[in-house]
PDB file of all heavy atoms in Angstrom:
ATOM      1  N   LEU A   1    -200.305 -97.695 -73.132  1.00 97.00           N
ATOM      2  CA  LEU A   1    -200.945 -96.626 -72.370  1.00 97.00           C
ATOM      3  C   LEU A   1    -201.266 -95.414 -73.235  1.00 97.00           C
ATOM      4  O   LEU A   1    -202.083 -94.576 -72.861  1.00 97.00           O
ATOM      5  CB  LEU A   1    -200.049 -96.214 -71.200  1.00 97.00           C
ATOM      6  CG  LEU A   1    -199.947 -97.236 -70.061  1.00 97.00           C
ATOM      7  CD1 LEU A   1    -198.834 -96.878 -69.112  1.00 97.00           C
ATOM      8  CD2 LEU A   1    -201.286 -97.316 -69.317  1.00 97.00           C
ATOM      9  N   ALA A   2    -200.620 -95.309 -74.395  1.00 98.00           N
ATOM     10  CA  ALA A   2    -200.899 -94.229 -75.338  1.00 98.00           C
ATOM     11  C   ALA A   2    -200.438 -94.652 -76.726  1.00 98.00           C
ATOM     12  O   ALA A   2    -199.524 -95.475 -76.863  1.00 98.00           O
ATOM     13  CB  ALA A   2    -200.188 -92.947 -74.922  1.00 98.00           C
ATOM     14  N   GLU A   3    -201.080 -94.101 -77.760  1.00 98.00           N
ATOM     15  CA  GLU A   3    -200.642 -94.350 -79.133  1.00 98.00           C
ATOM     16  C   GLU A   3    -199.531 -93.379 -79.528  1.00 98.00           C
ATOM     17  O   GLU A   3    -198.697 -93.686 -80.377  1.00 98.00           O
ATOM     18  CB  GLU A   3    -201.820 -94.210 -80.096  1.00 98.00           C
ATOM     19  CG  GLU A   3    -202.895 -95.262 -79.908  1.00 98.00           C
ATOM     20  CD  GLU A   3    -204.040 -95.086 -80.878  1.00 98.00           C
ATOM     21  OE1 GLU A   3    -203.903 -94.289 -81.847  1.00 98.00           O
ATOM     22  OE2 GLU A   3    -205.088 -95.730 -80.693  1.00 98.00           O
ATOM     23  N   ARG A   4    -199.555 -92.195 -78.934  1.00 98.00           N
ATOM     24  CA  ARG A   4    -198.521 -91.181 -79.141  1.00 98.00           C
ATOM     25  C   ARG A   4    -198.198 -90.575 -77.784  1.00 98.00           C
ATOM     26  O   ARG A   4    -199.100 -90.337 -76.979  1.00 98.00           O
ATOM     27  CB  ARG A   4    -199.001 -90.075 -80.083  1.00 98.00           C
ATOM     28  CG  ARG A   4    -199.405 -90.531 -81.461  1.00 98.00           C
ATOM     29  CD  ARG A   4    -200.228 -89.458 -82.163  1.00 98.00           C
ATOM     30  NE  ARG A   4    -199.511 -88.198 -82.309  1.00 98.00           N
ATOM     31  CZ  ARG A   4    -200.108 -87.037 -82.595  1.00 98.00           C
ATOM     32  NH1 ARG A   4    -201.430 -86.985 -82.740  1.00 98.00           N
ATOM     33  NH2 ARG A   4    -199.388 -85.937 -82.726  1.00 98.00           N
ATOM     34  N   ALA A   5    -196.937 -90.326 -77.529  1.00 98.00           N
ATOM     35  CA  ALA A   5    -196.552 -89.735 -76.248  1.00 98.00           C
ATOM     36  C   ALA A   5    -195.350 -88.823 -76.430  1.00 98.00           C
ATOM     37  O   ALA A   5    -194.371 -89.190 -77.095  1.00 98.00           O
ATOM     38  CB  ALA A   5    -196.224 -90.815 -75.226  1.00 98.00           C
ATOM     39  N   GLU A   6    -195.456 -87.634 -75.860  1.00 98.00           N
ATOM     40  CA  GLU A   6    -194.341 -86.696 -75.826  1.00 98.00           C
ATOM     41  C   GLU A   6    -194.058 -86.370 -74.364  1.00 98.00           C
ATOM     42  O   GLU A   6    -194.967 -86.053 -73.602  1.00 98.00           O
ATOM     43  CB  GLU A   6    -194.677 -85.428 -76.597  1.00 98.00           C
ATOM     44  CG  GLU A   6    -193.518 -84.444 -76.680  1.00 98.00           C
ATOM     45  CD  GLU A   6    -193.891 -83.200 -77.465  1.00 98.00           C
ATOM     46  OE1 GLU A   6    -194.648 -82.357 -76.924  1.00 98.00           O
ATOM     47  OE2 GLU A   6    -193.448 -83.074 -78.619  1.00 98.00           O
ATOM     48  N   VAL A   7    -192.800 -86.458 -73.989  1.00 98.00           N
ATOM     49  CA  VAL A   7    -192.384 -86.227 -72.603  1.00 98.00           C
ATOM     50  C   VAL A   7    -191.450 -85.027 -72.567  1.00 98.00           C
ATOM     51  O   VAL A   7    -190.466 -84.974 -73.320  1.00 98.00           O
ATOM     52  CB  VAL A   7    -191.667 -87.470 -72.027  1.00 98.00           C
ATOM     53  CG1 VAL A   7    -191.150 -87.185 -70.622  1.00 98.00           C
ATOM     54  CG2 VAL A   7    -192.605 -88.673 -72.022  1.00 98.00           C
ATOM     55  N   GLN A   8    -191.767 -84.055 -71.715  1.00 97.00           N
ATOM     56  CA  GLN A   8    -190.871 -82.926 -71.510  1.00 97.00           C
ATOM     57  C   GLN A   8    -190.239 -83.016 -70.128  1.00 97.00           C
ATOM     58  O   GLN A   8    -190.927 -83.248 -69.127  1.00 97.00           O
ATOM     59  CB  GLN A   8    -191.602 -81.583 -71.614  1.00 97.00           C
ATOM     60  CG  GLN A   8    -190.648 -80.394 -71.522  1.00 97.00           C
ATOM     61  CD  GLN A   8    -191.317 -79.093 -71.106  1.00 97.00           C
ATOM     62  OE1 GLN A   8    -192.033 -79.043 -70.121  1.00 97.00           O
ATOM     63  NE2 GLN A   8    -191.083 -78.044 -71.880  1.00 97.00           N
ATOM     64  N   LEU A   9    -188.924 -82.839 -70.092  1.00 96.00           N
ATOM     65  CA  LEU A   9    -188.171 -82.749 -68.838  1.00 96.00           C
ATOM     66  C   LEU A   9    -187.462 -81.401 -68.810  1.00 96.00           C
ATOM     67  O   LEU A   9    -187.057 -80.888 -69.854  1.00 96.00           O
ATOM     68  CB  LEU A   9    -187.127 -83.866 -68.739  1.00 96.00           C
ATOM     69  CG  LEU A   9    -187.604 -85.306 -68.941  1.00 96.00           C
ATOM     70  CD1 LEU A   9    -186.415 -86.259 -68.927  1.00 96.00           C
ATOM     71  CD2 LEU A   9    -188.617 -85.690 -67.874  1.00 96.00           C
ATOM     72  N   SER A  10    -187.310 -80.833 -67.625  1.00 94.00           N
ATOM     73  CA  SER A  10    -186.517 -79.610 -67.496  1.00 94.00           C
ATOM     74  C   SER A  10    -185.599 -79.731 -66.301  1.00 94.00           C
ATOM     75  O   SER A  10    -185.917 -80.406 -65.317  1.00 94.00           O
ATOM     76  CB  SER A  10    -187.419 -78.380 -67.354  1.00 94.00           C
ATOM     77  OG  SER A  10    -188.099 -78.379 -66.110  1.00 94.00           O
ATOM     78  N   TYR A  11    -184.445 -79.087 -66.406  1.00 90.00           N
ATOM     79  CA  TYR A  11    -183.409 -79.188 -65.381  1.00 90.00           C
ATOM     80  C   TYR A  11    -182.809 -77.819 -65.083  1.00 90.00           C
ATOM     81  O   TYR A  11    -182.822 -76.918 -65.930  1.00 90.00           O
ATOM     82  CB  TYR A  11    -182.282 -80.126 -65.844  1.00 90.00           C
ATOM     83  CG  TYR A  11    -182.695 -81.573 -65.955  1.00 90.00           C
ATOM     84  CD1 TYR A  11    -183.305 -82.044 -67.118  1.00 90.00           C
ATOM     85  CD2 TYR A  11    -182.497 -82.459 -64.909  1.00 90.00           C
ATOM     86  CE1 TYR A  11    -183.699 -83.365 -67.221  1.00 90.00           C
ATOM     87  CE2 TYR A  11    -182.880 -83.789 -65.015  1.00 90.00           C
ATOM     88  CZ  TYR A  11    -183.485 -84.236 -66.164  1.00 90.00           C
ATOM     89  OH  TYR A  11    -183.880 -85.553 -66.265  1.00 90.00           O
ATOM     90  N   ALA A  12    -182.276 -77.693 -63.875  1.00 87.00           N
ATOM     91  CA  ALA A  12    -181.470 -76.535 -63.491  1.00 87.00           C
ATOM     92  C   ALA A  12    -180.024 -76.999 -63.362  1.00 87.00           C
ATOM     93  O   ALA A  12    -179.757 -78.078 -62.813  1.00 87.00           O
ATOM     94  CB  ALA A  12    -181.959 -75.950 -62.166  1.00 87.00           C
ATOM     95  N   ILE A  13    -179.094 -76.223 -63.858  1.00 82.00           N
ATOM     96  CA  ILE A  13    -177.690 -76.608 -63.802  1.00 82.00           C
ATOM     97  C   ILE A  13    -177.258 -76.768 -62.344  1.00 82.00           C
ATOM     98  O   ILE A  13    -177.568 -75.942 -61.480  1.00 82.00           O
ATOM     99  CB  ILE A  13    -176.806 -75.575 -64.540  1.00 82.00           C
ATOM    100  CG1 ILE A  13    -175.374 -76.084 -64.674  1.00 82.00           C
ATOM    101  CG2 ILE A  13    -176.853 -74.208 -63.870  1.00 82.00           C
ATOM    102  CD1 ILE A  13    -174.531 -75.271 -65.647  1.00 82.00           C
ATOM    103  N   GLY A  14    -176.577 -77.880 -62.065  1.00 76.00           N
ATOM    104  CA  GLY A  14    -176.096 -78.147 -60.721  1.00 76.00           C
ATOM    105  C   GLY A  14    -177.128 -78.744 -59.785  1.00 76.00           C
ATOM    106  O   GLY A  14    -176.856 -78.948 -58.607  1.00 76.00           O
ATOM    107  N   VAL A  15    -178.324 -79.059 -60.300  1.00 80.00           N
ATOM    108  CA  VAL A  15    -179.400 -79.633 -59.481  1.00 80.00           C
ATOM    109  C   VAL A  15    -179.739 -81.007 -60.051  1.00 80.00           C
ATOM    110  O   VAL A  15    -179.841 -81.177 -61.265  1.00 80.00           O
ATOM    111  CB  VAL A  15    -180.649 -78.727 -59.471  1.00 80.00           C
ATOM    112  CG1 VAL A  15    -181.779 -79.368 -58.675  1.00 80.00           C
ATOM    113  CG2 VAL A  15    -180.295 -77.352 -58.901  1.00 80.00           C
ATOM    114  N   ALA A  16    -179.931 -81.998 -59.189  1.00 82.00           N
ATOM    115  CA  ALA A  16    -180.132 -83.368 -59.647  1.00 82.00           C
ATOM    116  C   ALA A  16    -181.565 -83.632 -60.119  1.00 82.00           C
ATOM    117  O   ALA A  16    -181.786 -84.171 -61.203  1.00 82.00           O
ATOM    118  CB  ALA A  16    -179.752 -84.356 -58.550  1.00 82.00           C
ATOM    119  N   LYS A  17    -182.529 -83.278 -59.304  1.00 87.00           N
ATOM    120  CA  LYS A  17    -183.915 -83.631 -59.633  1.00 87.00           C
ATOM    121  C   LYS A  17    -184.455 -82.731 -60.742  1.00 87.00           C
ATOM    122  O   LYS A  17    -184.171 -81.524 -60.768  1.00 87.00           O
ATOM    123  CB  LYS A  17    -184.799 -83.514 -58.386  1.00 87.00           C
ATOM    124  CG  LYS A  17    -184.445 -84.494 -57.277  1.00 87.00           C
ATOM    125  CD  LYS A  17    -185.382 -84.336 -56.097  1.00 87.00           C
ATOM    126  CE  LYS A  17    -185.043 -85.343 -54.995  1.00 87.00           C
ATOM    127  NZ  LYS A  17    -183.700 -85.102 -54.427  1.00 87.00           N
ATOM    128  N   PRO A  18    -185.238 -83.295 -61.675  1.00 92.00           N
ATOM    129  CA  PRO A  18    -185.841 -82.457 -62.713  1.00 92.00           C
ATOM    130  C   PRO A  18    -186.693 -81.345 -62.108  1.00 92.00           C
ATOM    131  O   PRO A  18    -187.363 -81.546 -61.089  1.00 92.00           O
ATOM    132  CB  PRO A  18    -186.696 -83.445 -63.506  1.00 92.00           C
ATOM    133  CG  PRO A  18    -186.152 -84.793 -63.200  1.00 92.00           C
ATOM    134  CD  PRO A  18    -185.614 -84.717 -61.804  1.00 92.00           C
ATOM    135  N   VAL A  19    -186.661 -80.199 -62.723  1.00 93.00           N
ATOM    136  CA  VAL A  19    -187.509 -79.093 -62.290  1.00 93.00           C
ATOM    137  C   VAL A  19    -188.974 -79.397 -62.595  1.00 93.00           C
ATOM    138  O   VAL A  19    -189.866 -79.080 -61.809  1.00 93.00           O
ATOM    139  CB  VAL A  19    -187.069 -77.789 -62.985  1.00 93.00           C
ATOM    140  CG1 VAL A  19    -188.044 -76.649 -62.685  1.00 93.00           C
ATOM    141  CG2 VAL A  19    -185.661 -77.412 -62.546  1.00 93.00           C
ATOM    142  N   SER A  20    -189.210 -80.047 -63.741  1.00 95.00           N
ATOM    143  CA  SER A  20    -190.584 -80.395 -64.114  1.00 95.00           C
ATOM    144  C   SER A  20    -190.596 -81.612 -65.021  1.00 95.00           C
ATOM    145  O   SER A  20    -189.617 -81.910 -65.703  1.00 95.00           O
ATOM    146  CB  SER A  20    -191.281 -79.225 -64.817  1.00 95.00           C
ATOM    147  OG  SER A  20    -190.658 -78.953 -66.076  1.00 95.00           O
ATOM    148  N   ILE A  21    -191.729 -82.316 -65.003  1.00 97.00           N
ATOM    149  CA  ILE A  21    -191.980 -83.468 -65.875  1.00 97.00           C
ATOM    150  C   ILE A  21    -193.388 -83.315 -66.436  1.00 97.00           C
ATOM    151  O   ILE A  21    -194.340 -83.065 -65.688  1.00 97.00           O
ATOM    152  CB  ILE A  21    -191.868 -84.801 -65.117  1.00 97.00           C
ATOM    153  CG1 ILE A  21    -190.466 -84.971 -64.514  1.00 97.00           C
ATOM    154  CG2 ILE A  21    -192.198 -85.976 -66.041  1.00 97.00           C
ATOM    155  CD1 ILE A  21    -190.339 -86.188 -63.598  1.00 97.00           C
ATOM    156  N   LEU A  22    -193.531 -83.469 -67.740  1.00 97.00           N
ATOM    157  CA  LEU A  22    -194.842 -83.335 -68.384  1.00 97.00           C
ATOM    158  C   LEU A  22    -195.009 -84.422 -69.435  1.00 97.00           C
ATOM    159  O   LEU A  22    -194.085 -84.695 -70.204  1.00 97.00           O
ATOM    160  CB  LEU A  22    -194.970 -81.964 -69.049  1.00 97.00           C
ATOM    161  CG  LEU A  22    -196.234 -81.732 -69.905  1.00 97.00           C
ATOM    162  CD1 LEU A  22    -197.473 -81.679 -69.022  1.00 97.00           C
ATOM    163  CD2 LEU A  22    -196.100 -80.467 -70.726  1.00 97.00           C
ATOM    164  N   VAL A  23    -196.183 -85.028 -69.476  1.00 98.00           N
ATOM    165  CA  VAL A  23    -196.517 -85.998 -70.505  1.00 98.00           C
ATOM    166  C   VAL A  23    -197.710 -85.485 -71.306  1.00 98.00           C
ATOM    167  O   VAL A  23    -198.718 -85.064 -70.735  1.00 98.00           O
ATOM    168  CB  VAL A  23    -196.854 -87.382 -69.907  1.00 98.00           C
ATOM    169  CG1 VAL A  23    -197.257 -88.358 -71.025  1.00 98.00           C
ATOM    170  CG2 VAL A  23    -195.669 -87.933 -69.128  1.00 98.00           C
ATOM    171  N   GLU A  24    -197.598 -85.525 -72.640  1.00 98.00           N
ATOM    172  CA  GLU A  24    -198.688 -85.158 -73.546  1.00 98.00           C
ATOM    173  C   GLU A  24    -198.975 -86.354 -74.448  1.00 98.00           C
ATOM    174  O   GLU A  24    -198.077 -86.858 -75.128  1.00 98.00           O
ATOM    175  CB  GLU A  24    -198.284 -83.951 -74.389  1.00 98.00           C
ATOM    176  CG  GLU A  24    -199.251 -83.613 -75.512  1.00 98.00           C
ATOM    177  CD  GLU A  24    -200.639 -83.260 -75.024  1.00 98.00           C
ATOM    178  OE1 GLU A  24    -200.775 -82.215 -74.359  1.00 98.00           O
ATOM    179  OE2 GLU A  24    -201.579 -84.050 -75.306  1.00 98.00           O
ATOM    180  N   SER A  25    -200.222 -86.835 -74.427  1.00 98.00           N
ATOM    181  CA  SER A  25    -200.577 -88.011 -75.234  1.00 98.00           C
ATOM    182  C   SER A  25    -201.469 -87.663 -76.417  1.00 98.00           C
ATOM    183  O   SER A  25    -201.933 -88.561 -77.123  1.00 98.00           O
ATOM    184  CB  SER A  25    -201.263 -89.063 -74.356  1.00 98.00           C
ATOM    185  OG  SER A  25    -202.491 -88.569 -73.853  1.00 98.00           O
ATOM    186  N   PHE A  26    -201.755 -86.384 -76.628  1.00 97.00           N
ATOM    187  CA  PHE A  26    -202.502 -85.931 -77.804  1.00 97.00           C
ATOM    188  C   PHE A  26    -203.855 -86.621 -77.950  1.00 97.00           C
ATOM    189  O   PHE A  26    -204.311 -86.921 -79.057  1.00 97.00           O
ATOM    190  CB  PHE A  26    -201.669 -86.133 -79.074  1.00 97.00           C
ATOM    191  CG  PHE A  26    -200.298 -85.534 -78.987  1.00 97.00           C
ATOM    192  CD1 PHE A  26    -199.198 -86.312 -78.622  1.00 97.00           C
ATOM    193  CD2 PHE A  26    -200.094 -84.186 -79.238  1.00 97.00           C
ATOM    194  CE1 PHE A  26    -197.926 -85.767 -78.526  1.00 97.00           C
ATOM    195  CE2 PHE A  26    -198.819 -83.625 -79.135  1.00 97.00           C
ATOM    196  CZ  PHE A  26    -197.738 -84.420 -78.781  1.00 97.00           C
ATOM    197  N   GLY A  27    -204.475 -86.894 -76.804  1.00 96.00           N
ATOM    198  CA  GLY A  27    -205.792 -87.510 -76.828  1.00 96.00           C
ATOM    199  C   GLY A  27    -205.798 -89.005 -77.098  1.00 96.00           C
ATOM    200  O   GLY A  27    -206.867 -89.601 -77.243  1.00 96.00           O
ATOM    201  N   THR A  28    -204.619 -89.632 -77.121  1.00 97.00           N
ATOM    202  CA  THR A  28    -204.544 -91.071 -77.422  1.00 97.00           C
ATOM    203  C   THR A  28    -204.316 -91.919 -76.174  1.00 97.00           C
ATOM    204  O   THR A  28    -204.225 -93.140 -76.275  1.00 97.00           O
ATOM    205  CB  THR A  28    -203.410 -91.372 -78.414  1.00 97.00           C
ATOM    206  OG1 THR A  28    -202.140 -91.155 -77.769  1.00 97.00           O
ATOM    207  CG2 THR A  28    -203.511 -90.478 -79.646  1.00 97.00           C
ATOM    208  N   GLY A  29    -204.209 -91.290 -75.004  1.00 96.00           N
ATOM    209  CA  GLY A  29    -203.907 -92.035 -73.790  1.00 96.00           C
ATOM    210  C   GLY A  29    -205.095 -92.794 -73.240  1.00 96.00           C
ATOM    211  O   GLY A  29    -206.250 -92.363 -73.371  1.00 96.00           O
TER     212      GLY A  29
END
């Protein structure tokens, strides 16, 4: 699905679900 992929996750302490999810494919997706 991509030649390069970077995934960012963020969390709040004491909270289960990620605050945010981001995928960056640098134009290779």
Side-chain angles (χ1 to χ4, degrees):
L1 289 168
E3 294 180 12
R4 300 164 59 196
E6 184 180 74
V7 176
Q8 185 201 51
L9 307 175
S10 69
Y11 292 85
I13 189 167
V15 177
K17 296 181 179 64
V19 173
S20 66
I21 300 173
L22 173 68
V23 178
E24 171 61 66
S25 64
F26 308 96
T28 69

